[in-house]
Amino acid sequence: SRALHVAVAVGTPTVALFAVSGPAASGPAYDFDKHIVIHRPASVSGVRSKTDDERWMARITPEEVFDAVMQQLACTRKAHHG
């Protein structure tokens, strides 16, 4: 998404979710220590359209996202408070 690209460009830590498209093509390309990528690639051949994203994105659980966000917040707090 555009928001992910802007956040990465200005150095904001992110949690990036990928299903149909892969992070290698459109994910954070640098500062890997600042970004958490959750990737659940489509396992059915022929699923390559972003219109299929909703079905495949649902394989990423809210708990996974919550844990990643909490990890980012902990790292951010640690960096700011030494």
Side-chain angles (χ1 to χ4, degrees):
S1 80
R2 289 180 184 135
L4 174 64
H5 294 293
V6 170
V8 171
V10 299
T12 301
T14 65
V15 174
L17 312 179
F18 292 91
V20 175
S21 62
S26 57
Y30 53 89
D31 290 335
F32 297 110
D33 57 323
K34 287 186 179 181
H35 309 289
I36 296 174
V37 174
I38 300 173
H39 184 210
R40 298 291 173 269
S43 59
V44 176
S45 64
V47 177
R48 303 215 185 269
S49 168
K50 292 211 180 232
T51 58
D52 294 330
D53 234 13
E54 185 177 314
R55 178 173 122 197
W56 295 105
M57 192 64 74
R59 296 179 349 150
I60 299 173
T61 68
E63 292 81 14
E64 286 178 283
V65 176
F66 179 82
D67 290 345
V69 168
M70 295 307 291
Q71 183 180 340
Q72 283 294 44
L73 290 173
C75 289
T76 301
R77 285 187 192 121
K78 188 184 245 183
H80 288 296
H81 298 284

